[in-house]
């Protein structure tokens, strides 16, 4: 079997720590199957090249089968001009890879149920859903305009626009994902008010005909934000446009606990993708071996599943994480009384020993 080329962006702060742990896990679960190509991006690239992601480094990501990213940024680069900040590298790599679907799982690991802020009887029913967020369209990418009315009053507008093709391709991502899960898609919109949402609904219903095994339902976004905390166990795959997805995915991450635990994938055509934890570079704990590597390790598992179809290996990683948590081992961010506090590198070693 040919080796997979993976562009690896350690980034800044705790980025290199959590990425280092993830590469060791990947090498253990599938020895000799990857060629890793390190790419400087973010603050360290500003130090090295004067810019957060030079073209030739982006090219390494574009030529790879998938890209794995830690996190970028930190106080050292806070005074850079806006166009040269470390986070610019993030926008460049996302647009350069043409990823249009952001996938964020919201899963509660049973041993961490006590970290869930929802009522016990709600959390106990289990939470395991995925948000598929459209990433390159909608109001964030529409025309932005500040202007004056004829009477001289200040005004502003941002345009929300979607084409049928943009809706169709994200809907396919959601339905395909549902086929490998509990076969339920919830499409979230505001079709009672927005014309864009009515088109969204029509196109999603059209795509649904190609997946007769999958049950589709629709929710208005305001209702969805309530149902997510009322009956989270009833969701499987959620598909929604960019802005609604931005807000609902942050709500979902709070439901399932620590920021250090949650992975994310951004997918484009041809199975290529960008995989990263949802947290930032955590400068407050960088270099202290306190960072929880689980979010990035689970992002590695998503890469195996979605870009390389290595489902068995992805399952093995997710099970090993579950086992470590069941054994009561915790980094500081998920520590509670009665569990055992360990360092980031011990967490990595414990996961590897269970693979
Ligand atoms: P952050 O996610 O870095 O940290 C928020 C809090 O969570 C901190 O207290 C941190 O110690 C803790 N935390 C985060 N990840 C953790 C982990 N794996 N284990 C244990 N604790 C963890 O967010 P922030 O402090 O707002 O931002 C810090 C820097 O990261 C900024 O420069 C910001 O721009 C950047 N940032 C980058 C990304 C990215 O690269 N995708 C995302 C968000 C923020």
């Amino acid at each position: 079997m040919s080796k997979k080329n993976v562009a690896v962006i350690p980034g800044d702060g705790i980025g290199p720590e959590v990425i280092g742990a993830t590469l060791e896990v990947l090498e253990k679960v599938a020895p000799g199957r990857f060629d890793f190509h390190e790419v400087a991006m973010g603050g360290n690239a500003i130090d090295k090249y004067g810019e957060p992601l030079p073209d030739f480094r982006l090219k390494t990501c574009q030529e790879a089968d998938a890209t794995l990213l830690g996190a970028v940024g930190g106080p050292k680069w806070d005074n850079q001009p806006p166009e040269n900040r470390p986070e610019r590298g993030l926008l460049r790599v996302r647009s350069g890879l043409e990823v249009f679907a952001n996938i964020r799982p919201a899963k509660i690991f049973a041993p961490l149920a006590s970290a869930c802020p929802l009522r016990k009887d709600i959390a106990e029913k289990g939470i395991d859903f995925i948000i598929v967020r459209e990433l390159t369209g909608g109001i964030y990418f529409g025309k932005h305009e500040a202007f004056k009315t004829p009477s001289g009053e200040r005004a502003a507008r941002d345009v929300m626009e979607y084409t049928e093709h943009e809706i169709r391709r994200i809907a396919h991502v959601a339905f395909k994902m549902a086929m490998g899960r509990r076969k339920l898609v919830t499409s979230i919109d505001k079709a009672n008010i927005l014309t864009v949402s009515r088109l969204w609904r029509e196109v999603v219903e059209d795509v649904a005909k190609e997946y007769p095994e999958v049950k589709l339902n629709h929710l208005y976004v305001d209702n969805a934000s309530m149902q997510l905390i009322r009956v989270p166990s009833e969701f499987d795959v959620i598909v929604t446009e960019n802005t609604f997805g931005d807000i609902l995915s942050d709500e979902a991450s709070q439901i399932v606990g620590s920021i250090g635990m949650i992975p994310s994938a951004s997918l484009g055509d041809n199975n290529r993708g960008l995989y990263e934890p949802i947290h930032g570079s955590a400068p407050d704990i960088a270099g202290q071996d306190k960072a929880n590597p689980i979010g990035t390790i689970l992002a590695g598992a998503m890469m195996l599943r979605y870009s390389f179809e290595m489902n068995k290996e992805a399952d093995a990683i997710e099970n090993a994480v579950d086992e470590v948590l069941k054994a009561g081992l915790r980094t500081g961010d998920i520590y509670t009384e009665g569990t055992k506090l360990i360092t980031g590198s011990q967490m990595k070693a414990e996961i590897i020993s269970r693979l």
Side-chain angles (χ1 to χ4, degrees), residues 133-145 156-163 166 194 196 200 241-247:
R133 166 188 168 193
E134 202 290 326
L135 204 57
T136 56
I139 207 162
Y140 293 173
F141 287 83
K143 191 173 175 195
H144 308 292
E145 201 179 2
R157 69 166 75 92
D158 301 279
V159 176
M160 182 190 251
E161 190 174 312
Y162 268 104
T163 63
E166 287 172 318
L194 300 176
V196 169
W200 180 278
E241 64 87 47
N242 203 345
T243 312
F244 298 160
D246 190 7
I247 297 166

Side-chain angles (χ1 to χ4, degrees), residues 167-223:
I167 303 168
R168 198 169 284 282
R169 66 181 182 179
I170 191 82
H172 276 293
V173 172
F175 281 98
K176 281 189 187 137
M177 233 150 239
M179 285 299 290
R181 296 175 48 97
R182 303 198 307 275
K183 300 193 172 68
L184 172 65
V185 168
T186 305
S187 173
I188 292 174
D189 60 38
K190 190 71 184 167
N192 49 343
I193 311 249
L194 300 176
T195 315
V196 169
S197 284
R198 285 197 281 277
L199 174 67
W200 180 278
R201 207 174 261 223
E202 273 171 38
V203 177
V204 170
E205 278 178 0
D206 202 24
V207 172
K209 291 180 193 139
E210 296 177 47
Y211 302 86
E213 285 173 57
V214 178
K215 185 172 179 308
L216 167 69
N217 58 31
H218 303 277
L219 280 184
Y220 297 138
V221 62
D222 40 351
N223 185 18

Side-chain angles (χ1 to χ4, degrees), residues 298-318:
L298 292 176
M302 287 181 90
M303 175 177 83
L304 300 186
R305 199 180 294 287
Y306 298 133
S307 281
F308 303 151
E309 289 175 8
M310 294 166 73
N311 290 325
K312 210 162 49 84
E313 290 83 352
D315 287 344
I317 293 175
E318 287 164 4

Side-chain angles (χ1 to χ4, degrees), residues 3-9 19 22-23 26 33-39 60-61 63-69 273 275 300 303-304 307-308 310:
K3 280 190 170 189
K4 301 293 184 192
N5 281 310
V6 180
V8 179
I9 305 174
I19 282 288
T22 303
L23 298 189
L26 290 171
R33 298 281 299 277
F34 309 105
D35 272 330
F36 297 121
H37 306 273
E38 188 169 327
V39 170
T60 307
C61 302
E63 287 170 358
D65 299 311
T67 299
L68 194 59
L69 161 69
Y275 299 87
M303 175 177 83
L304 300 186
S307 281
F308 303 151
M310 294 166 73

Side-chain angles (χ1 to χ4, degrees), residues 14 71-74 87 90 259-260 276 279-285 291-292 333:
I14 62 168
V72 298
E87 293 79 2
L90 287 173
I259 192 170
E276 56 190 310
H279 62 72
S281 59
D284 53 330
I285 56 165
N292 184 352
D333 57 315

